[in-house]
Amino acid sequence: MPASGVLLGALRSPAEPPTVADVYRTHADFVWRVVQRLGVPAAEAEDVVHEVFMVVQRRLPEFDGRGAITSWLYAIGRGVAANYRRGHARAARRIDHVDPPAPPRSPEEDAAQREAQGLIESFLAQLDRETREIFELADIEGMTCPEVARALDLDLNRVLARLKTARRRFNAFVAERGATRTP
Protein backbone atom coordinates (compact mmCIF):
# COMPACT_ATOMS: atom_id res chain seq x y z
CA MET A 1 0.00 0.00 0.00
CA PRO A 2 1.44 3.43 -0.87
CA ALA A 3 2.62 5.63 2.00
CA SER A 4 0.29 8.43 0.92
CA GLY A 5 -2.63 6.13 1.62
CA VAL A 6 -4.70 7.01 -1.42
CA LEU A 7 -6.39 3.62 -1.34
CA LEU A 8 -8.11 2.41 1.81
CA GLY A 9 -9.46 -0.82 0.44
CA ALA A 10 -6.28 -2.88 0.68
CA LEU A 11 -7.46 -4.62 3.86
CA ARG A 12 -11.22 -4.26 3.47
CA SER A 13 -13.65 -5.05 0.76
CA PRO A 14 -15.06 -2.09 -1.21
CA ALA A 15 -18.43 -2.52 0.56
CA GLU A 16 -16.94 -2.18 4.03
CA PRO A 17 -16.43 1.38 5.23
CA PRO A 18 -12.98 2.26 6.59
CA THR A 19 -12.40 2.24 10.34
CA VAL A 20 -10.87 5.11 12.25
CA ALA A 21 -7.78 2.98 12.72
CA ASP A 22 -7.52 2.52 8.93
CA VAL A 23 -7.92 6.25 8.32
CA TYR A 24 -5.42 7.12 11.05
CA ARG A 25 -2.83 4.60 9.92
CA THR A 26 -3.12 5.77 6.33
CA HIS A 27 -3.55 9.54 6.72
CA ALA A 28 -2.09 10.68 10.08
CA ASP A 29 1.04 12.05 8.39
CA PHE A 30 -1.10 14.01 5.93
CA VAL A 31 -3.19 15.49 8.75
CA TRP A 32 0.01 16.33 10.68
CA ARG A 33 1.36 18.30 7.73
CA VAL A 34 -2.00 20.01 7.16
CA VAL A 35 -2.38 21.30 10.71
CA GLN A 36 1.17 22.60 10.72
CA ARG A 37 0.60 24.44 7.44
CA LEU A 38 -2.55 25.90 9.03
CA GLY A 39 -0.56 27.54 11.82
CA VAL A 40 -0.34 24.91 14.55
CA PRO A 41 3.17 24.86 16.05
CA ALA A 42 5.03 21.54 15.85
CA ALA A 43 4.97 21.23 19.65
CA GLU A 44 1.15 21.30 19.60
CA ALA A 45 0.57 19.38 16.37
CA GLU A 46 0.24 15.95 17.99
CA ASP A 47 -2.62 17.13 20.22
CA VAL A 48 -4.36 18.83 17.31
CA VAL A 49 -3.98 15.74 15.09
CA HIS A 50 -5.55 13.64 17.83
CA GLU A 51 -8.40 16.14 18.07
CA VAL A 52 -8.91 15.82 14.29
CA PHE A 53 -9.19 12.07 14.63
CA MET A 54 -11.65 12.43 17.50
CA VAL A 55 -13.84 14.35 15.05
CA VAL A 56 -13.19 11.69 12.39
CA GLN A 57 -14.32 9.00 14.82
CA ARG A 58 -17.55 10.87 15.49
CA ARG A 59 -18.22 11.75 11.85
CA LEU A 60 -16.85 8.73 9.93
CA PRO A 61 -20.34 7.29 9.33
CA GLU A 62 -21.15 10.54 7.45
CA PHE A 63 -18.30 10.00 4.97
CA ASP A 64 -19.95 8.51 1.89
CA GLY A 65 -16.80 7.93 -0.18
CA ARG A 66 -17.92 10.06 -3.13
CA GLY A 67 -15.05 12.49 -2.67
CA ALA A 68 -11.45 11.93 -1.66
CA ILE A 69 -10.99 11.18 2.01
CA THR A 70 -8.06 13.60 2.04
CA SER A 71 -10.40 16.45 1.07
CA TRP A 72 -12.71 15.48 3.92
CA LEU A 73 -9.78 15.22 6.36
CA TYR A 74 -8.44 18.58 5.19
CA ALA A 75 -11.80 20.23 5.94
CA ILE A 76 -11.87 18.70 9.42
CA GLY A 77 -8.22 19.63 10.02
CA ARG A 78 -8.90 23.22 8.92
CA GLY A 79 -11.77 23.52 11.41
CA VAL A 80 -9.84 21.99 14.30
CA ALA A 81 -6.77 24.15 13.54
CA ALA A 82 -8.98 27.26 13.45
CA ASN A 83 -10.44 26.32 16.85
CA TYR A 84 -6.92 25.82 18.17
CA ARG A 85 -5.80 29.26 16.94
CA ARG A 86 -8.89 30.98 18.37
CA GLY A 87 -8.40 29.26 21.71
CA HIS A 88 -4.79 30.34 21.91
CA ALA A 89 -5.71 33.88 20.93
CA ARG A 90 -8.31 33.99 23.74
CA ALA A 91 -5.77 32.63 26.22
CA ALA A 92 -3.23 35.25 25.13
CA ARG A 93 -5.80 38.02 25.62
CA ARG A 94 -6.60 36.72 29.12
CA ILE A 95 -2.91 36.69 29.99
CA ASP A 96 -2.60 40.29 28.77
CA HIS A 97 -5.24 41.29 31.35
CA VAL A 98 -3.45 39.69 34.31
CA ASP A 99 -1.60 42.09 36.55
CA PRO A 100 2.10 41.40 36.86
CA PRO A 101 3.18 39.86 40.16
CA ALA A 102 4.08 42.21 42.96
CA PRO A 103 7.80 42.74 43.41
CA PRO A 104 9.29 40.59 46.14
CA ARG A 105 9.43 42.10 49.59
CA SER A 106 12.74 43.14 51.06
CA PRO A 107 14.13 41.29 54.09
CA GLU A 108 13.21 44.33 56.20
CA GLU A 109 9.61 44.19 54.97
CA ASP A 110 9.47 40.45 55.69
CA ALA A 111 10.78 41.04 59.20
CA ALA A 112 8.25 43.82 59.80
CA GLN A 113 5.45 41.57 58.50
CA ARG A 114 6.47 38.72 60.82
CA GLU A 115 6.69 41.13 63.76
CA ALA A 116 3.22 42.54 63.03
CA GLN A 117 1.78 39.03 62.73
CA GLY A 118 3.35 38.09 66.03
CA LEU A 119 1.87 41.15 67.74
CA ILE A 120 -1.60 40.42 66.32
CA GLU A 121 -1.36 36.79 67.45
CA SER A 122 -0.34 37.85 70.98
CA PHE A 123 -3.28 40.29 71.10
CA LEU A 124 -5.72 37.66 69.86
CA ALA A 125 -4.45 35.17 72.43
CA GLN A 126 -5.61 37.56 75.20
CA LEU A 127 -9.23 37.48 74.01
CA ASP A 128 -11.85 34.91 74.98
CA ARG A 129 -12.94 32.59 72.14
CA GLU A 130 -16.18 34.42 71.28
CA THR A 131 -14.63 37.91 71.27
CA ARG A 132 -11.70 36.64 69.24
CA GLU A 133 -14.05 35.13 66.62
CA ILE A 134 -16.05 38.36 66.41
CA PHE A 135 -12.91 40.50 66.07
CA GLU A 136 -11.35 38.17 63.46
CA LEU A 137 -14.49 37.97 61.34
CA ALA A 138 -15.25 41.70 61.49
CA ASP A 139 -11.85 43.39 61.47
CA ILE A 140 -9.65 40.80 59.79
CA GLU A 141 -12.05 39.09 57.39
CA GLY A 142 -14.14 42.21 56.69
CA MET A 143 -17.57 40.79 57.49
CA THR A 144 -20.30 43.17 58.61
CA CYS A 145 -21.66 42.89 62.14
CA PRO A 146 -25.01 41.44 60.94
CA GLU A 147 -23.04 38.82 58.94
CA VAL A 148 -20.93 37.99 62.01
CA ALA A 149 -24.06 37.69 64.15
CA ARG A 150 -25.60 35.26 61.64
CA ALA A 151 -22.39 33.27 61.21
CA LEU A 152 -21.92 32.82 64.96
CA ASP A 153 -25.63 32.63 65.77
CA LEU A 154 -25.37 35.53 68.21
CA ASP A 155 -27.53 38.55 68.98
CA LEU A 156 -26.43 41.57 66.92
CA ASN A 157 -26.17 43.81 70.02
CA ARG A 158 -23.86 41.26 71.65
CA VAL A 159 -21.64 41.27 68.53
CA LEU A 160 -21.56 45.08 68.46
CA ALA A 161 -20.66 45.33 72.16
CA ARG A 162 -17.96 42.63 71.97
CA LEU A 163 -16.46 44.18 68.84
CA LYS A 164 -16.39 47.65 70.42
CA THR A 165 -14.60 46.24 73.47
CA ALA A 166 -12.14 44.27 71.33
CA ARG A 167 -11.32 47.33 69.24
CA ARG A 168 -10.76 49.46 72.33
CA ARG A 169 -8.47 46.78 73.78
CA PHE A 170 -6.63 46.50 70.45
CA ASN A 171 -6.02 50.26 70.28
CA ALA A 172 -4.66 50.21 73.83
CA PHE A 173 -2.50 47.17 72.99
CA VAL A 174 -1.04 48.95 69.95
CA ALA A 175 -0.53 52.20 71.89
CA GLU A 176 1.40 50.33 74.61
CA ARG A 177 3.83 49.11 71.99
CA GLY A 178 4.37 52.56 70.48
CA ALA A 179 2.59 51.92 67.15
CA THR A 180 0.26 54.56 65.79
CA ARG A 181 -1.81 52.57 63.25
CA THR A 182 -5.15 50.93 64.06
CA PRO A 183 -7.27 48.53 61.96
Side-chain angles (χ1 to χ4, degrees), residues 9 61 69 107 110 135 137 139-140 159 164 183:
I69 196 160
D110 281 341
F135 184 80
L137 291 175
D139 283 359
I140 296 175
V159 169
K164 183 177 181 180

Side-chain angles (χ1 to χ4, degrees), residues 128-138 143-156 158-160 162-163:
D128 63 85
R129 185 190 58 77
E130 183 178 272
T131 304
R132 179 180 176 142
E133 284 181 311
I134 291 168
F135 184 80
E136 287 174 341
L137 291 175
M143 292 174 68
T144 65
C145 287
E147 290 171 335
V148 172
R150 280 191 298 277
L152 299 178
D153 195 28
L154 295 173
D155 178 68
L156 177 59
R158 181 179 180 99
V159 169
L160 292 167
R162 291 284 184 117
L163 184 57

Side-chain angles (χ1 to χ4, degrees), residues 20 50-61 72 76:
V20 174
H50 285 217
E51 184 66 30
V52 168
F53 281 97
M54 295 295 291
V55 174
V56 168
Q57 180 178 11
R58 190 175 65 248
R59 293 183 48 201
L60 191 57
W72 184 67
I76 293 171

Side-chain angles (χ1 to χ4, degrees), residues 26-47:
T26 310
H27 298 289
D29 289 341
F30 167 74
V31 173
W32 183 283
R33 290 187 306 272
V34 164
V35 299
Q36 285 193 295
R37 278 196 302 271
L38 293 171
V40 176
E44 305 291 327
E46 183 176 353
D47 291 340

Side-chain angles (χ1 to χ4, degrees), residues 48-141:
V48 175
V49 168
H50 285 217
E51 184 66 30
V52 168
F53 281 97
M54 295 295 291
V55 174
V56 168
Q57 180 178 11
R58 190 175 65 248
R59 293 183 48 201
L60 191 57
E62 299 170 16
F63 179 70
D64 59 10
R66 284 189 270 167
I69 196 160
T70 52
S71 299
W72 184 67
L73 289 170
Y74 181 83
I76 293 171
R78 185 179 59 211
V80 172
N83 288 342
Y84 166 84
R85 289 189 312 271
R86 281 192 299 273
H88 277 271
R90 279 192 304 272
R93 284 192 304 273
R94 281 193 302 269
I95 288 172
D96 288 343
H97 289 90
V98 173
D99 292 333
R105 291 191 311 230
S106 69
E108 294 81 15
E109 291 170 320
D110 281 341
Q113 178 76 25
R114 283 192 303 277
E115 182 181 348
Q117 286 172 334
L119 287 173
I120 297 294
E121 283 300 322
S122 68
F123 168 74
L124 293 173
Q126 297 174 8
L127 302 175
D128 63 85
R129 185 190 58 77
E130 183 178 272
T131 304
R132 179 180 176 142
E133 284 181 311
I134 291 168
F135 184 80
E136 287 174 341
L137 291 175
D139 283 359
I140 296 175
E141 297 301 330

